[in-house]
Structures are given as structure tokens and as C-alpha cells.
Amino acid sequence: MRKFFQEIKADLKFKTAGPGQKLSEPSRVPKEKPKAEAAPKPRQAPTDEAQMAAAAALARMELKSKAKLPPSQEAIKAQGLQSHKPSTAQPGACFCLLQDLGSLPTEGAAAPSVSGVYFICPLTGAVIRRDEKEKHLREAIQAYFSVDPVAASIMEIHTFNRDREKARAGVETMAKYLDNIYLHPEEEKYRKIKLQNKVFQERISCLEGTHRFFQAVGFETKTLPVPGQETPEEYYVLKEEMLSRLEDLKDYKEQLLSSEPVRAQLDRQLCLFQPSPAAARFELPNDFYNLTAEEIKREQRLRTEAVEKASMLRTRAMREKEEQREMRKYNYTLLRVRFPDGYILQGTFYARESLSALYSFVREALREDWLPFELLGPGGLKLTDESLALNECGLVPSALLTLAWDTAVMEDIQAAGEEQAPSPLKPELLSRVQTL
């Protein structure tokens, strides 16, 4: 490069004298008589290599002079996720950051594969977002009090008391109260429950929904005198009219013991897509990664334990246990199944659901659900043990699977000469196929 610029400089000096003019002589005249100078050779154009080198040098100079371009949205997201990891003090930091980034007008930004995780309320049939689930269930159960107050109060007891052991102990004690009345209706002592009783306070009064239950099954609150005590106390007393409805009390007891928590059903958000080369690309919303405050504390504890164990010689069992912990980080997973004709079936699952749920999901989409098939995971691994959980198969937080028909069965069908439908999928699914 330096040689090239020297050549240009020499060329400029050579051309400083105009036509018909003599070149200026140096101020010092040499002692010896200068030899006659040969006629200058014509200048040659710079070689291709020199021109390319000059262009590269100029390009580098221009780049240095320009200010740095702003980073892409993906780079911002990556940086934000590193510097805004959720903590116990700020669990929603990632979500807010991604929301802000999502509002930036960026060309070519990929849309999320699904807009979030949704559930179906078993009482109203409404589709609700994950973060609105508990509120909606409370409102639905509250509204059900006008239909069946006993059933609604039992729903409250089983659904909103998180400590399952405490709830079980309370329910069994309440059932015992009702059973005593049913078996000994003539004994007045069984029809009264002292509210300040230690057992009632420790097992029943502390649970949500229990007081509504007693009122719904026919108890009323009364203040009664206590023998040997100056101050009266409050009791639940069974109304007289309920003595003629003892079979109802027995039914209420059975309902109380046999009921389960009201659980919103995960909405699969079933979608069918046209064949697409983008089938393996997933853009998941924050719902698939969000951790609760309790989960964040657990992750911090696990990381601390991992650091402590880093210097220890880990056995295979220890490594497998840590891998299982890693897989349990995800609550949901988005799965796609590609059919031999290229169509792609998509659904949302719990990460801990069994592989059998995925097989059932695929069968329900087929015209002929008896057709045998296998699902192949990433790398072509056959997923045959349907008792395994999806996260145990490495199918979290998203995965693309391939469906393979049973070759022998398909050959038999073709040999029979029966007319085959253009696609094995149900017509109602094909009628609303989308573009990925």
C-alpha cells in the first residue's frame, strides 16, 4: 500500500512542469557533470492488486470515521435478558423489558408462535389467560353460590386451600360432625359446634370456605350459655328443619369427601400449518419462561448448590439428578408434529405431561384414529415409552417432532386398493389451516 501511494506521489511531482518548461534544478550543483538522462518510461496504471488494496484501505478509513450503528432488536433483547434477570425483588423485569421491546417498530421481527398460555374454565367455558386464571375461578365459584351454595362452598374448600394436608384434615373433621348428626339425630350435643373449640379453630376455622359450608348445609350461628362459665359463647347450631332431611346431610358429607379442586383445563391452542421450512423455528412468549417468586428462590438455591458441588467429583446419578432439575424449570412446552405430507400440527402442553397426552392429541386430529404411527423426536429418536414425561424426553420448552406411519399397515391399505383421502387429517382442521 505504501509503495502504491509513493508511486502516485512521484507521478504528481513528475507532472508539475508544464509543456515547454524546464524542470527546476536543485540548488546544489553536483561537481561531476551529470550524465544525460534517459527519456522517462511511460507510467503504468496501478495493478489490480494495488487498486483492491487501496479500496480496502479507504473503506476502513470510512468505517472508522462513522459512528457505530445502533444494535439490532435481537441484540437488545439478549443484553436485556442478561442484565434484567428476574429476582425476588423484581420478578416481572424480563416481562416488562420484552413488552417494551415488542413495541419497537423493527422490520422482519418474528411474531410469537403463540400469544401466551391459556386455560378453559370448567364452570363458564371461558378461555382465560394464565395470569387471570385464579381471579376468574373465584368469580365463577362466587357466582355459583346462587345456583348451589353447598357445591360452591365445597369448591372453595378444595380449590383455594393450598396446603393439601391441612385441607384433608379439616374436611375429615367436618365430615365427622355431619356423620355424628346422621347417626345420632336424637342427641342434641352433636347438633352444636362450639366455634372457640380448639379442634375447630385449628382444623376448620383456618380454612377458606368452611364457614360458608356450615351455613349452606343448615347451621346457624347462636350465642349460648356455657355451664360453669359466666360469659356465653358462639356456636354453630343445626336448624330443626334439617332433622327431617338427614339423607341430605349424608349426601353433603359424601360430596365433601369425594370432591376435587376445580382446575382450569390447559387450552391446547391447536393449530394446523401449511408445510413450511420455518417449522423448527420457535418464538415463545414470556409465559413459557416466567418463574414465580417461589420458583426464582428455588433456582437461586439450586445455583448455589451447583457452585458448591462444582469442585466435587460428581457421579453419574448426581449428573442425571441435576439434568432433571434443569428440565423442571419449564412449566409448559410448545410442540409441533410434522406429518409425512408436510402439514404441521401444533399444541401447548404441560412440561410434566406424559408422552401419551401428545399421542392422544395427534390421534384426535386424524380422520382414522386407529392408524398406527410413531413419533420421532429431535435427531430421529423414537419416542415409544408413552409413560415418560415430556420434559424427561427433552421436549421443553419447544420441539419439532416427526410422525412416521407404520409401513406394513400402510402397504396393506394401498394393496387393498381403497380410495385414500388426500390428507389423513380431519377436514375441519384442514379448513382452517394457517401459514407459519
Side-chain angles (χ1 to χ4, degrees):
M1 181 63 64
R2 182 178 299 172
K3 181 179 178 182
F4 171 69
F5 283 114
Q6 287 174 346
E7 289 176 354
I8 295 176
K9 187 175 180 181
D11 190 41
L12 291 174
K13 286 183 178 180
F14 179 77
K15 295 179 180 179
T16 51
Q21 294 180 344
K22 292 183 179 180
L23 293 172
S24 57
E25 296 182 359
S27 56
R28 296 179 63 186
V29 180
K31 294 180 180 179
E32 296 181 1
K33 184 177 180 181
K35 296 179 181 179
E37 294 182 359
K41 295 181 180 180
R43 300 294 298 173
Q44 295 182 350
T47 63
D48 291 343
E49 291 80 359
Q51 292 181 20
M52 291 174 64
L58 291 173
R60 286 196 298 271
M61 292 172 64
E62 289 179 1
L63 284 175
K64 287 181 180 179
S65 63
K66 289 182 179 180
K68 289 184 179 179
L69 293 174
S72 65
Q73 183 174 347
E74 290 302 317
I76 297 173
K77 283 187 180 181
Q79 183 180 1
L81 289 172
Q82 289 296 322
S83 59
H84 291 78
K85 287 183 179 177
S87 64
T88 52
Q90 198 177 17
C94 276
F95 179 68
C96 296
L97 177 68
L98 290 175
Q99 275 191 323
D100 294 340
L101 291 168
S103 63
L104 292 174
T106 305
E107 286 189 21
S113 302
V114 285
S115 58
V117 175
Y118 289 83
F119 292 83
I120 302 171
C121 176
L123 299 176
T124 65
V127 177
I128 49 179
R129 281 191 64 92
R130 174 193 174 197
D131 54 357
E132 298 172 350
K133 181 176 60 172
E134 183 168 343
K135 178 185 175 184
H136 182 90
L137 284 177
R138 284 188 178 277
E139 292 173 350
I141 291 175
Q142 179 63 37
Y144 201 70
F145 270 94
S146 62
V147 178
D148 188 341
V150 175
S153 61
I154 292 174
M155 289 179 199
E156 274 192 323
I157 294 169
H158 284 281
T159 304
F160 300 123
N161 291 295
R162 304 298 185 191
D163 190 327
R164 301 307 303 156
E165 272 304 306
K166 263 191 171 182
R168 183 190 59 78
V171 163
E172 289 177 353
T173 305
M174 294 164 69
K176 186 65 176 175
Y177 284 140
L178 297 183
D179 204 37
N180 284 337
I181 296 172
Y182 178 76
L183 295 175
H184 310 283
E186 70 286 350
E187 302 227 17
E188 184 181 354
K189 65 177 182 178
Y190 291 123
R191 303 199 298 268
K192 295 189 298 183
I193 304 171
K194 187 178 180 181
L195 298 188
Q196 295 304 314
N197 178 279
K198 184 178 180 182
V199 172
F200 186 88
Q201 285 292 317
E202 291 180 351
R203 295 190 183 181
I204 297 173
S205 189
C206 59
L207 298 177
E208 185 174 349
T210 52
H211 291 284
R212 287 197 183 198
F213 174 79
F214 281 109
Q215 293 165 6
V217 300
F219 284 86
E220 58 184 347
T221 307
K222 285 188 176 181
T223 303
L224 301 175
V226 181
Q229 186 175 307
E230 293 184 1
T231 57
E233 291 196 22
E234 285 193 331
Y235 287 79
Y236 273 142
V237 181
L238 187 69
K239 296 176 183 178
E240 289 291 331
E241 64 197 58
M242 292 303 299
L243 292 176
S244 61
R245 297 170 52 193
L246 292 176
E247 290 301 321
D248 288 347
L249 285 181
K250 183 181 178 182
D251 290 342
Y252 298 154
K253 182 200 77 171
E254 296 300 330
Q255 288 181 43
L256 183 64
L257 289 173
S258 61
S259 291
E260 295 289 334
V262 179
R263 295 285 183 250
Q265 180 185 355
L266 180 65
D267 185 9
R268 296 289 187 210
Q269 300 185 73
L270 185 151
C271 292
L272 183 67
F273 297 108
Q274 296 276 7
S276 171
R281 187 170 64 243
F282 292 86
E283 295 292 337
L284 298 178
N286 202 49
D287 284 354
F288 283 77
Y289 299 99
N290 242 0
L291 298 177
T292 64
E294 184 178 342
E295 289 170 332
I296 292 169
K297 290 179 182 177
R298 185 185 68 194
E299 288 302 314
Q300 290 174 338
R301 177 173 53 80
L302 293 178
R303 279 196 294 269
T304 303
E305 292 176 1
V307 171
E308 293 173 353
K309 292 178 180 179
S311 58
M312 297 169 56
L313 180 62
R314 296 183 302 166
T315 65
R316 179 180 177 182
M318 292 171 65
R319 290 195 300 272
E320 289 177 352
K321 188 175 181 181
E322 288 179 10
E323 289 172 2
Q324 291 294 325
R325 284 177 176 173
E326 185 69 19
M327 289 188 293
R328 286 196 292 268
K329 287 170 63 174
Y330 303 103
N331 291 328
Y332 310 98
T333 182
L334 186 66
L335 300 179
R336 290 174 180 161
V337 177
R338 180 159 48 198
F339 284 72
D341 58 4
Y343 281 107
I344 302 157
L345 188 68
Q346 174 179 288
T348 303
F349 295 81
Y350 286 109
R352 296 174 183 82
E353 278 190 88
S354 66
L355 195 59
S356 61
L358 177 59
Y359 270 88
S360 297
F361 174 72
V362 174
R363 288 190 189 97
E364 290 170 3
L366 300 176
R367 291 174 184 261
E368 305 291 344
D369 60 4
W370 60 268
L371 284 173
F373 63 88
E374 286 183 331
L375 293 178
L376 309 179
L381 178 67
K382 288 186 178 181
L383 304 173
T384 54
D385 188 351
E386 296 188 28
S387 65
L388 290 175
L390 297 173
N391 58 359
E392 290 177 329
C393 300
L395 305 179
V396 290
S398 60
L400 173 65
L401 301 97
T402 302
L403 182 142
W405 301 114
D406 185 292
T407 306
V409 172
M410 298 308 292
E411 287 176 353
D412 290 344
I413 293 174
Q414 291 175 358
E418 296 181 7
E419 185 178 351
Q420 297 295 310
S423 173
L425 293 160
K426 289 180 177 178
E428 54 267 31
L429 288 179
L430 293 168
S431 65
R432 49 192 178 94
V433 66
Q434 304 175 41
T435 302
L436 188 61

